[in-house]
Amino acid sequence: MIKVAAVQTNPIFGEIENNLEKIKNIFPDSADLVVLPEFCTTGYQFKNLDEVEKYSEDFSDSFSVDFFTSLARENNSVIVAGLSEKSKGKFYNSAVVISPEGLLKTYRKINLFYRENLFFSSGENEPLVVDIVFCKIGVMICFDWIFPNVARSLAIKDADIIAHPANLVLPFCQDAMLTRSIENRVFTVTSNRVGRENRDGIDNLIFTGKSQITSFKGERLISASSKNEEVIFANIEPKEARNKNINEFNKLLK
Ligand code: ACM
């Protein structure tokens, strides 16, 4: 059995160091895998390219990656966190997978949502699965949920758990992720943010919270509130996700 956690936060736009400090204050000290929201250090609504340039990080030399590596080391956890990435003149909505040894892999969001399309490039690579010895973690980011082929690709690549950093504004995802679990027999950990982002001149967004962990059978094991910063946990056996047979005749991935 392993212990997985979703950390639900309310980042303040542009306050990277304060947002990281808040994460550190509520970070669980006993979880094997900890998932944080999309854009968890920067906030979500970039107004223009200057802001994207200012707050994005090159992961080869990144304050946030170093910070999460220290947190992973102190708590002996693997962390999946959403960050704004810059690389070779482009910007990506990315999720990093960080172990106590440092950055393992990066997933760049494929299906960009709404105004993200103004500033960010879509990830060019396939959905990412990382083998962290005690399980295989598939990574997708927020709006990827609406495309069943993303979760399916992760299941085909043997993901046991889908780590899903999110900044959800539509109300459907938490229920849809139950279906993603059922149709792929995978565990899912959706870490969503809460709060409202009120940035001059652009839409005022309210994020839906209700971070959740589902079982490989599509059960909602635990769910967070819609408004509070909090941490939720579940103890799971990742290997249970490896049996893709509903019975001897019905094999999900055949
Ligand atoms: C989203 O993809 N942030 C809704």
Side-chain angles (χ1 to χ4, degrees), residues 23-180:
I23 288 170
K24 188 176 174 144
N25 291 339
I26 60 168
F27 196 85
D29 61 7
S30 61
D32 301 290
L33 171 65
V34 181
V35 184
L36 289 130
E38 178 183 20
F39 286 141
C40 69
T41 59
T42 53
Y44 182 69
Q45 290 248 78
F46 294 89
K47 284 209 271 194
N48 52 46
L49 210 47
D50 287 347
E51 284 190 347
V52 180
E53 167 69 39
K54 180 169 173 196
Y55 296 121
S56 299
E57 297 183 69
D58 184 328
F59 295 160
S60 59
D61 179 20
S62 156
F63 180 78
S64 299
V65 168
D66 291 347
F67 191 97
F68 282 124
T69 303
S70 301
L71 264 189
R73 204 168 288 151
E74 278 162 31
N75 298 288
N76 198 23
S77 306
V78 171
I79 298 174
V80 179
L83 301 177
S84 185
E85 179 188 5
K86 74 171 124 191
S87 174
K88 300 185 182 137
K90 288 187 174 182
F91 301 99
Y92 299 95
N93 178 344
S94 295
V96 288
V97 182
I98 293 180
S99 78
E101 281 76 52
L103 178 61
L104 297 178
K105 292 273 182 198
T106 301
Y107 166 66
R108 293 171 171 167
K109 186 178 186 180
I110 294 171
N111 299 292
L112 300 173
F113 182 70
Y114 192 40
R115 295 181 81 257
E116 293 167 32
N117 286 284
L118 297 175
F119 311 123
F120 293 93
S121 298
S122 176
E124 337 51 17
N125 296 330
E126 283 184 27
L128 173 72
V129 176
V130 187
D131 190 341
I132 56 165
V133 183
F134 56 84
C135 69
K136 292 187 180 171
I137 304 174
V139 184
M140 60 188 223
I141 300 177
C142 206
F143 193 51
D144 283 331
W145 70 264
I146 210 167
F147 302 95
N149 50 322
V150 178
R152 182 56 128 211
S153 303
L154 296 172
I156 287 170
K157 293 169 95 179
D158 295 333
D160 304 314
I161 305 171
I162 293 180
H164 181 214
N167 275 190
L168 296 161
V169 290
L170 302 175
F172 317 110
C173 170
Q174 289 87 343
D175 287 343
M177 289 307 287
L178 301 179
T179 305
R180 298 290 165 272

